Amino acid sequence: MTIASHRIDGLASARDLFALTKPRVMSLVIFTALCGLLAAPGSIHPVIGFTAILAISLGAGASAALNQWYESDIDAVMKRTSQRPLPAGRMDRETALHFGIGLSVFSVLLMGVAVNWFSAAFLAFSIFFYAVVYTIWLKRSTPQNIVIGGAAGAFPPAIGWAAVTGDVTLMPVLLFSIIFFWTPPHFWALALFVNSDYSKAGVPMMPVVAGRRSTRHQIFGYSLVLAAVAVAPFVLGLAGAIYGGSAIVLSGIFCALAWQVARSTTSEPKDMAAEKRLFKFSILYLFALFAALVADRMILA
Amino acid sequence: MSEIDPNKAPMSPEEQRAYQARQKQRAVIMAGLLMFMVVLFYLITIVKIGSSS
């Protein structure tokens, strides 16, 4: 490393600070939070609604920055993550830590001052959960890490809902549960056909620890629970026919694809067509399900 | 890695230019963000006053 690059590293570029917030992950956060906000009963002024989504996004960015601050050692040994600002040496860890903490505090205060303090406390808890409970505590100690990490990713729609109502009822709990049970099949399908060096980094990912067969069976098990949770809002009368019909059709396809994965025995990533199909569909599934929820509320209300 | 503490050694003109360019880039972005926050907080205040009156 040259002296010049060393000196400039003390002043991280705006692009690297932005990259620290994992902007691609943030798009899902923004979408689900917006859906939670739009599906909630009651109304919210567009400016306050925009501020709520902004605060949730900044909170997610802060969590990502703290995650990368703590995991720079893991990121450095994995090909997929080795070019992130910290492992690539374009930023020092202290900058990432300060940026993450600063953004966390700002996002929570913004939510509290502009929206309500219940959703601000909820947002603070979600940042704590992702940065401390998942990243620092459980990710390196259990193969169920993705399940727990899924909980962190499942908070945004419930926080969006709380921004409107100021509380949490059964419906936002179900929205949380949908993302929570969606994450393992989504991520493990990917983990089966992408060699992501997790074993080299010492992270106990399910396909590495329990093997492909067990992972495939767990994917199917979680898919069944996901289908039950996804249909629940309609069955319990919390959502209308548009959502109900969409949830039944989408979940049916999801379970059929997961069943193909459960029956698969291939060990060659290039032959894992079933896993690739499930992974691709899982992304469409979540977007379509939440869009149906919003359409249901907008049209039927 | 160099043994000289890079933060204490004098900067070459090239280093200085690169450092100042990055400082400027950050300052411009920060100014933009601050302006955005000023407008946002102004709007939030108007909405809050409107809803409480």
Side-chain angles (χ1 to χ4, degrees), chain A residues 7-8 11-12 14 106 114, chain B residues 6 11 15 22 26 29 37 48:
Chain A
R7 194 194 303 281
I8 289 182
L11 199 65
F106 180 74
Chain B
M11 279 191 194
E15 287 171 349
R22 187 165 285 188
R26 283 172 50 131
I29 290 170
M37 293 320 287
K48 292 266 176 194

Side-chain angles (χ1 to χ4, degrees), chain B:
Chain B
M1 194 183 287
S2 170
E3 288 184 8
I4 305 164
D5 184 345
N7 294 315
K8 286 180 184 166
M11 279 191 194
S12 69
E14 198 180 304
E15 287 171 349
Q16 206 158 11
R17 267 195 300 277
Y19 192 84
Q20 284 171 346
R22 187 165 285 188
Q23 265 185 325
K24 189 180 172 187
Q25 179 209 38
R26 283 172 50 131
V28 168
I29 290 170
M30 187 55 82
L33 288 175
L34 282 173
M35 281 302 293
F36 172 75
M37 293 320 287
V38 166
V39 173
L40 182 64
F41 273 84
Y42 171 76
L43 292 174
I44 290 167
T45 309
I46 297 294
V47 171
K48 292 266 176 194
I49 291 171
S51 63
S52 64
S53 61

Side-chain angles (χ1 to χ4, degrees), chain A residues 172-201:
Chain A
V173 171
L174 288 172
L175 296 181
F176 170 92
S177 305
I178 288 169
I179 303 182
F180 180 75
F181 288 110
W182 167 87
T183 308
H186 165 76
F187 194 88
W188 286 336
L190 176 72
L192 280 168
F193 66 84
V194 171
N195 178 17
S196 51
D197 313 335
Y198 278 115
S199 51
K200 202 165 86 181

